[in-house]
Amino acid sequence: MRLPRDFYARSPLEVGPELLNKVFVAGHCQGRIVEVEAYGGGNDPASHGYRGMTLRTEVMFGPPGHLYVYFTYGMHWCANVVCGDEGECSAVLLRALTPLMGIAEMRERRFKARRDRDLCSGPAKLAAAFGVDGSANGADLVRATEGISVLDDMIPPPSQPGCSARIGITRATDRLWRWYVPDCLDLSC
């Protein structure tokens, strides 16, 4: 069952930990979400939307339930789930997944990965494995446009998810806005 729009229409601090154990789908590929990070827009100096809307961040300003995809370091794509109220600018970065289906296709895209657990063990790796690039920016996860969605297969998020500071940022480093499934920590970067 695809997650409804109202699931996403909340704070990224609520949506983030509740995305754990949901299933990300892109085409024939599926993976269980095991690590995420929240970004809070105008209230978060680490967010792309901190200084306001730009052409790059427009999708991040809503409506909720869409995919915000950005290019980083001149070579990698990363995927975020847009949340909150429209105009608010908040999102949850998908950091790591456990591959479930379409593993052969993921291996073709990430041929350098030595093990299946390495296919999606970081935000750029999972975007590459799932074939997510700039053309997926703005995809509606609720309607599964572009064949991309998030499913609830009734496996609940962990009752006590791991929690830490976000990774790879230089601002607002004190915020514990990264959550992960404790048993899957070896999938993290």
Side-chain angles (χ1 to χ4, degrees), residues 129-189:
F130 276 69
V132 172
D133 60 21
S135 66
N137 190 40
D140 188 335
L141 299 169
V142 176
R143 294 189 176 131
T145 60
E146 310 294 326
I148 301 173
S149 63
V150 179
L151 306 178
D152 184 354
D153 66 352
M154 306 311 287
I155 294 178
S159 58
Q160 295 184 338
C163 182
S164 76
R166 297 174 289 186
I167 295 172
I169 59 170
T170 58
R171 297 184 188 121
T173 57
D174 59 328
R175 298 180 187 182
L176 304 180
W177 289 4
R178 173 182 168 256
W179 299 275
Y180 54 91
V181 176
D183 296 343
C184 297
L185 189 58
D186 63 337
L187 288 174
S188 303
C189 294

Side-chain angles (χ1 to χ4, degrees), residues 50-122:
Y50 180 64
R51 290 195 169 89
M53 188 185 308
T54 65
L55 189 57
R56 177 188 190 195
T57 64
E58 184 176 18
V59 170
M60 214 176 159
F61 282 81
H66 285 76
L67 199 65
Y68 165 56
V69 180
Y70 67 91
F71 200 55
T72 186
Y73 300 117
M75 64 176 89
H76 301 296
W77 295 101
C78 294
N80 299 258
V81 173
V82 176
C83 15
D85 293 327
E86 190 164 356
E88 188 177 281
C89 185
S90 60
V92 175
L93 172 66
L94 301 177
R95 283 201 52 84
L97 304 173
T98 298
L100 297 174
M101 292 180 60
I103 294 173
E105 194 172 337
M106 291 182 209
R107 283 200 152 286
E108 287 178 19
R109 293 179 179 133
R110 293 253 312 113
F111 57 89
K112 291 184 180 180
R114 293 183 181 203
R115 301 168 295 187
D116 288 351
R117 70 182 196 180
D118 297 331
L119 291 169
C120 304
S121 61

Side-chain angles (χ1 to χ4, degrees), residues 1-23 33 36 64-66 81-85 90 92 94 141-142 150-152 155-157:
M1 176 170 80
R2 280 192 295 253
L3 295 175
R5 184 103 37 223
D6 62 353
F7 175 89
Y8 302 105
R10 301 176 293 148
S11 161
L13 303 180
E14 294 174 85
V15 174
E18 290 184 25
L19 274 171
L20 295 175
N21 283 333
K22 300 296 187 263
V23 177
I33 300 170
V36 297
H66 285 76
V81 173
V82 176
C83 15
D85 293 327
S90 60
V92 175
L94 301 177
L141 299 169
V142 176
V150 179
L151 306 178
D152 184 354
I155 294 178

